[in-house]
Amino acid sequence: MAILKIVKRETDEAFLRKKSRPVDEITPRTHTLIDDMIQTMRHANGCGLAAVQVGVLRRIVVIETDEGLFELINPRIIAMSGCQESEEGCLSLPGEWGITRRPMYVTARALNRYGEEIEIIAEGLLAKAICHELDHLDGILYTDKIIRKIEE
């Protein structure tokens, strides 16, 4: 496994704004990318990472909260409800924080690393992380959704 370089907005916002392409075939390279993304996310003390954040325009995200580790390929949100306003940051925007409004509950479907469809019913932090990471896949940064910036 390797620690990958995280793309930062300050150096390559145009790349972070690109839309990621679906994964058509899960290969050993896909598994290596997922493993490296997990290692990178943990090394950076994050709770989520999208492939675009490590320079790969594919629809892959990893998320780790107290509820476990989630490896999501071609994820999509199929339902959301409720509302939460909370602090949010991003590994690609170090030192920036803001309050965002996200759904409190999210149901998402994706493929796991074995190509099996999985469904996640999430609330709170996990729901926020799913929304945040899936936004990355469409070139959306959390700063686009800030309702109040937090000054350091």
Side-chain angles (χ1 to χ4, degrees):
M1 290 194 282
I3 306 283
L4 305 173
K5 182 179 179 194
I6 296 174
V7 177
K8 304 286 197 281
R9 180 173 72 172
E10 64 200 32
T11 55
D12 204 352
E13 181 171 352
F15 186 81
L16 290 170
R17 295 289 185 176
K18 291 184 177 187
K19 190 169 179 144
S20 297
R21 297 182 303 274
V23 174
D24 296 324
E25 180 182 6
I26 299 171
T27 66
R29 282 186 68 190
T30 310
H31 290 187
T32 299
L33 175 61
I34 290 169
D35 292 340
D36 291 348
M37 287 173 61
I38 293 166
Q39 180 98 0
T40 302
M41 174 187 65
R42 289 174 174 165
H43 182 263
N45 295 316
C47 74
L49 190 67
V52 63
Q53 292 179 271
V54 292
V56 179
L57 287 173
R58 291 287 182 234
R59 297 187 78 79
I60 300 173
V61 303
V62 296
I63 297 170
E64 189 168 39
T65 67
D66 290 341
E67 296 173 61
L69 174 65
F70 301 90
E71 305 167 343
L72 309 176
I73 300 169
N74 298 333
R76 64 198 186 286
I77 293 172
I78 59 167
M80 60 179 91
S81 63
C83 182
Q84 61 177 315
E85 291 183 9
S86 60
E87 188 175 296
E88 198 164 328
C90 180
L91 295 175
S92 290
L93 289 80
E96 294 185 42
W97 297 91
I99 303 296
T100 57
R101 186 174 292 128
R102 299 279 192 182
M104 179 60 81
Y105 305 97
V106 167
T107 302
R109 286 196 184 130
L111 299 177
N112 65 17
R113 69 168 54 221
Y114 307 107
E116 303 161 334
E117 186 169 79
I118 58 172
E119 185 171 284
I120 301 168
I121 299 170
E123 69 176 274
L125 174 61
L126 182 55
K128 177 173 67 171
I130 289 170
C131 291
H132 178 110
E133 298 309 329
L134 270 62
D135 276 352
H136 270 301
L137 301 180
D138 292 321
I140 299 166
L141 301 178
Y142 87 93
T143 50
D144 299 335
K145 299 187 175 213
I146 283 182
I147 57 175
R148 189 172 69 253
K149 189 170 174 104
I150 298 173
E151 300 297 329
E152 289 189 63

